[in-house]
Amino acid sequence: MTDLPARVTLHEEGPREGFQFEKTLFPLAERVRFVDMLSATGLSRIQVASFVSPRMVPQMADSAELFGAIAKPSGVRHTSLWLSEKGYRQAAETPGVDLSGLILLYASDAFSLRNNGCSADEMRRRQEDWIAMYDADGVDIEAIYIMTAFGCNLQGDIPFAALDANLDWIASRFAGRALPVIYLADTVGWAVPTSVTTRISYVRNRFPDARIGLHLHDTRGAAMASFLVALQLGVTQFDGSVAGLGGCPFAGHGHGAAAGNICTEDMVFMAHEMGIETGVDLEALIEAARMAEALIGRPLPGRVMHGGSLASYRNSTPTIGKRT
Amino acid sequence: MTDLPARVTLHEEGPREGFQFEKTLFPLAERVRFVDMLSATGLSRIQVASFVSPRMVPQMADSAELFGAIAKPSGVRHTSLWLSEKGYRQAAETPGVDLSGLILLYASDAFSLRNNGCSADEMRRRQEDWIAMYDADGVDIEAIYIMTAFGCNLQGDIPFAALDANLDWIASRFAGRALPVIYLADTVGWAVPTSVTTRISYVRNRFPDARIGLHLHDTRGAAMASFLVALQLGVTQFDGSVAGLGGCPFAGHGHGAAAGNICTEDMVFMAHEMGIETGVDLEALIEAARMAEALIGRPLPGRVMHGGSLASYRNSTPTIGKRT
C-alpha cells in the first residue's frame, strides 16, 4: 500500500443529507450553529442545504435564510444542491452560496423516473440545458455525478457496462473543455470493494486523465472498505456526512435507522492513522458530530464519535516507540 | 484484487462478547434461542460463553446450564473462553463444550496487568502451564491470541516490534509441533489497514507458513477496511460478533454505545458480494442479529441488519446483466 495518496479532499454533505428526510423541523439557530462548527474544522467544502421543492422537502424551505445566517470563514466554500433549473436560479440569487456547477446523470432509469419524473436518457438531455445555463452565468462545472452507479433498489444490479450511456454522453459533451470530477455515486448502498474497483477502472479506461470521486453510503457496512480500495487506486475526492448523517430514519429495521452516508470523521480518523492528510481537525469534527446527534435526538451511525479518538490515550501515556 | 481468497472462515463470538458487559441478566431461554438461531445459519464455530469468575462477570455464571440447553446440530462446534486454568477445568467438565485449546499472549504489559494481574512476561510463563494442561488432556491447541496487538488504552501505541517477545516465545514453545493459528487481536479498536498490513507482514516474515487470524473491533470505524486489507493479503480466519455485539454499553459517548466487535453479518454480506464464500446463510444471520437487538433492547451497531440485504431487490426485479 505504498501508493496511497498523500492527501484527500473531503466534501461534507451532512447539513443537507442529515436533515432533509427528518420528520421534525429543527430550529434554524441550531442548524446555523452546526454549520458554523463544521466551518471551523478545516473542511474546505460544505454542502449547506438544497434548493428544492418546499412541498417535497419542507426541511429545506429556509435554505436561503440558513445561508444568510451562517458565518463565512475564509477558505471554506458553502455549496448547495439543486435538482432543477429553478433550484439553481434560487441558489444563484442567494447571498452566501458558493456556486459550483454540477451535472446529474443516472445509471438507473427507474431511479431517474422516481427522482426526476423522466428517464435517464431524458435526464441526460436536460443536462445539456444545465451546461448552457452554467456557461451563460460563467459558473465552472465542478462535478458530474453518476447516480445509482452500483445498484438500484428499484431496478436491481447495475453492471458497470450500464455506465456506458453516461460515459458516451460525457465524452461527447465535454470534448474540448475541462472535464469535471466524475463522481460515482452509490446512492442506495450497493457498492463493495470489487465493484468500486471495476467501475473506477472502467471510467479510467475511457478517460485516462479523469479525476474520480466517490459518494458512498454505508447502508450495508462496506463503505469504509470501499473508501480504502479507492485510496489504494489513488482516488482523492470523497463525499461524506459528519456523524454518518443521511440515513433514513423510518426505513431502518428494528431499533436502528438505516445507516446513511459514509461518516466523515471516521474517514478522517482512518486517513490520519494511515498517514494521509485531510486538513481537518478530527477533535473539532467529532464535537460537531456529537452536536448533530444531540440535535437529532437519536443515535447516529458514526463510530469514532462514540468510541472516542486516540488522542487522549496518546497524550496521557508514554508510547513504546514509533507507530507503524 | 485477483488474489482474494475463495473462502473465509468466521468464528462467531457474539453470544459471549454480547452479554458479558451488560448490566441486565437476560433469561436463559432467550439466550438458548439466540444460540440455536446462530447454530442454524451455517456458522461452523460459535463461542457460546466463557468460564470466568461469576463475581467479576455474573452474566456468565450459568455458562454450564447454557451449554446443556442448546441444540447441537452436526457441523457446528460450540466453544468457550477461559482466562485461567480453573476456567478451563470447568469448561472441560461441562457437557456440550467443544474444547479448543487457546493461548493468550499480550503485547501490552499494562493491559495484561489489568486483565490478569500479572505482566505480559509472566502471562507468557503461565501459558507454558496451559500448554502442559492441554497436552495432558489431549486437547489440540488451535489458536494463539496476541492481545492488544495494535494499541492499548492504558499504554498507548503498540509498534509492531513490540510483538517480538511474543513471537520469540511462540518460536521457542512451538518448535517441532503444529503451529496454531496466530490471531492478531485489536482488543480495544486501534487497528487501521496500514497497521494490519505491517503486522501481518511482520508475523509472516518470522513464520512464513503461519496461518494468521484477525480479531477486530469497530470502535473507530476502520474494522471493515482492516478486514478488506487482510483479505487482500490472503488471510482467511476472522472473529466476529453478530449484530456487532460486544460494544461497551456504558463507555460510549452520547446516544450511542461504543461499537463492539466487527459485525459478522456485515463481513458475510461484503464477502459474498465480492465472490468470497463463507458457508453462512446471510438472511438467517440477519434474523439472529435482529433477535439479539430485540433482546438487548437498544440499537446495535450492525449495518446490513438495519439496511436489509439486497436479496429482496434482486428477486423482485429483472437485472440488466451480470454483476461485476
Side-chain angles (χ1 to χ4, degrees):
Chain A
M1 295 203 298
T2 50
D3 52 350
L4 292 170
R7 186 182 176 93
V8 296
T9 301
L10 305 177
H11 175 211
E12 173 59 40
E13 301 193 327
R16 179 188 62 80
E17 289 268 16
F19 297 101
Q20 65 188 357
F21 294 127
E22 294 293 325
K23 284 181 174 169
T24 313
L25 294 178
F26 297 95
L28 184 70
E30 293 298 297
R31 284 178 290 137
V32 168
R33 191 160 75 87
F34 174 51
V35 176
D36 285 349
M37 286 179 78
L38 289 174
S39 298
T41 60
L43 284 163
S44 57
R45 190 159 151 242
I46 301 169
Q47 195 175 62
V48 171
S50 58
F51 290 90
V52 289
S53 158
R55 192 173 49 79
M56 301 288 282
V57 190
Q59 296 80 358
M60 294 284 128
D62 60 359
S63 291
E65 275 180 274
L66 180 57
F67 272 101
I70 56 179
K72 195 95 179 121
S74 68
V76 185
R77 291 161 63 217
H78 289 141
T79 62
S80 75
L81 177 73
W82 47 83
L83 302 174
S84 67
E85 290 192 35
K86 184 181 169 193
Y88 164 74
R89 295 284 168 217
Q90 290 175 316
E93 288 161 12
T94 300
V97 174
D98 292 306
L99 285 180
S100 166
L102 66 107
I103 294 292
L104 299 180
L105 308 176
Y106 286 78
S108 158
D109 252 337
F111 207 88
S112 178
L113 269 169
R114 198 189 65 176
N115 262 26
N116 310 304
C118 71
S119 70
D121 199 49
E122 166 63 14
M123 191 64 185
R124 281 186 288 274
R125 205 210 50 74
R126 291 185 189 176
Q127 299 307 294
E128 294 173 20
D129 299 338
W130 290 34
I131 293 174
M133 165 179 91
Y134 297 138
D135 285 350
D137 284 7
V139 170
D140 277 345
I141 302 178
E142 196 165 357
I144 299 172
Y145 278 85
I146 304 181
M147 319 282 271
T148 56
F150 297 87
C152 170
N153 292 357
L154 305 171
Q155 194 166 319
D157 284 297
I158 302 285
F160 61 80
L163 303 180
D164 279 344
N166 292 309
L167 299 182
D168 290 347
W169 185 91
I170 294 169
S172 141
R173 295 312 178 280
F174 286 87
R177 55 187 290 167
L179 188 63
V181 180
I182 300 175
Y183 278 85
L184 297 168
D186 183 27
T187 316
V188 283
W190 287 55
V192 293
T194 40
S195 58
V196 169
T197 301
T198 51
R199 279 154 188 73
I200 289 173
S201 301
Y202 198 70
V203 173
R204 281 191 176 154
N205 193 44
R206 185 70 184 264
F207 301 101
D209 299 324
R211 288 164 300 155
I212 295 177
L214 275 187
H215 175 101
L216 295 166
H217 283 237
D218 199 27
T219 318
R220 296 172 180 90
M224 288 293 284
S226 294
F227 171 52
L228 173 66
V229 84
L231 290 174
Q232 292 172 334
L233 292 167
V235 171
T236 60
Q237 309 281 324
F238 297 93
D239 291 347
S241 282
V242 64
L245 279 164
C248 197
F250 30 90
H253 186 285
H255 289 269
N261 293 53
I262 189 168
C263 172
T264 312
E265 70 274 15
D266 288 359
M267 284 197 287
V268 168
F269 168 78
M270 193 171 97
H272 289 185
E273 291 292 314
M274 294 174 68
I276 299 169
E277 286 182 37
T278 65
V280 178
D281 177 340
L282 176 61
E283 306 302 327
L285 195 58
I286 288 174
E287 285 310 308
R290 291 173 178 170
M291 187 276 181
E293 185 173 75
L295 183 57
I296 298 264
R298 65 164 186 277
L300 293 177
R303 300 295 200 217
V304 74
M305 67 182 283
H306 299 121
S309 80
L310 298 177
S312 62
Y313 303 117
R314 287 188 173 133
N315 292 339
S316 65
T317 54
T319 60
I320 307 177
K322 190 173 176 302
R323 177 170 169 86
T324 44
Chain B
M1 296 202 298
T2 51
D3 52 351
L4 292 170
R7 188 183 175 93
V8 296
T9 302
L10 305 177
H11 176 211
E12 173 59 38
E13 302 192 326
R16 177 187 63 79
E17 289 269 15
F19 297 101
Q20 64 188 356
F21 294 127
E22 294 293 324
K23 285 182 175 168
T24 312
L25 294 178
F26 297 95
L28 184 71
E30 293 297 298
R31 283 177 292 137
V32 168
R33 191 161 75 86
F34 173 51
V35 175
D36 285 350
M37 287 179 78
L38 290 173
S39 297
T41 60
L43 284 163
S44 58
R45 191 160 150 241
I46 301 168
Q47 195 175 62
V48 171
S50 59
F51 290 89
V52 290
S53 159
R55 191 173 49 79
M56 299 289 284
V57 190
Q59 296 81 356
M60 294 284 129
D62 61 358
S63 291
E65 275 181 273
L66 180 57
F67 273 101
I70 57 180
K72 195 93 179 127
S74 68
V76 185
R77 292 161 64 215
H78 289 141
T79 63
S80 74
L81 177 73
W82 47 83
L83 302 174
S84 67
E85 290 192 35
K86 184 181 170 194
Y88 165 74
R89 296 283 168 218
Q90 290 176 316
E93 288 161 11
T94 300
V97 173
D98 293 307
L99 284 180
S100 167
L102 65 106
I103 296 292
L104 300 180
L105 307 176
Y106 286 78
S108 157
D109 252 337
F111 207 87
S112 179
L113 269 169
R114 198 190 63 175
N115 262 25
N116 311 303
C118 70
S119 70
D121 198 48
E122 166 61 15
M123 191 65 185
R124 281 187 287 274
R125 204 210 50 73
R126 290 184 189 177
Q127 298 307 293
E128 294 173 19
D129 300 337
W130 289 35
I131 293 175
M133 164 179 93
Y134 297 139
D135 286 351
D137 284 6
V139 170
D140 278 345
I141 303 177
E142 197 166 355
I144 298 172
Y145 279 85
I146 304 180
M147 319 282 272
T148 55
F150 296 88
C152 170
N153 292 357
L154 305 171
Q155 194 167 319
D157 284 297
I158 302 284
F160 61 79
L163 303 180
D164 280 344
N166 291 309
L167 300 182
D168 290 346
W169 184 91
I170 293 169
S172 140
R173 296 311 178 281
F174 286 87
R177 55 186 293 166
L179 188 63
V181 180
I182 300 175
Y183 278 85
L184 297 168
D186 184 28
T187 315
V188 282
W190 287 54
V192 294
T194 40
S195 57
V196 169
T197 301
T198 51
R199 277 154 190 74
I200 289 172
S201 301
Y202 199 69
V203 173
R204 281 191 176 153
N205 194 44
R206 185 71 182 264
F207 301 102
D209 300 324
R211 289 165 299 156
I212 295 177
L214 276 186
H215 175 101
L216 296 166
H217 283 237
D218 200 25
T219 318
R220 296 172 181 90
M224 289 293 284
S226 295
F227 171 52
L228 173 66
V229 84
L231 290 173
Q232 292 173 334
L233 292 167
V235 171
T236 60
Q237 310 282 324
F238 297 92
D239 291 346
S241 283
V242 64
L245 279 164
C248 197
F250 29 89
H253 186 286
H255 289 268
N261 293 54
I262 189 168
C263 172
T264 313
E265 70 273 16
D266 287 0
M267 284 197 287
V268 168
F269 168 78
M270 193 171 96
H272 289 185
E273 292 291 315
M274 294 174 69
I276 299 170
E277 285 182 38
T278 66
V280 178
D281 177 340
L282 175 62
E283 306 303 326
L285 195 58
I286 288 174
E287 285 310 308
R290 291 173 179 171
M291 187 275 181
E293 185 174 73
L295 183 57
I296 298 264
R298 65 162 186 278
L300 292 177
R303 302 293 201 218
V304 73
M305 68 182 284
H306 299 120
S309 80
L310 298 177
S312 62
Y313 303 118
R314 286 185 174 137
N315 292 339
S316 65
T317 53
T319 59
I320 308 176
K322 190 175 175 302
R323 178 169 170 87
T324 45

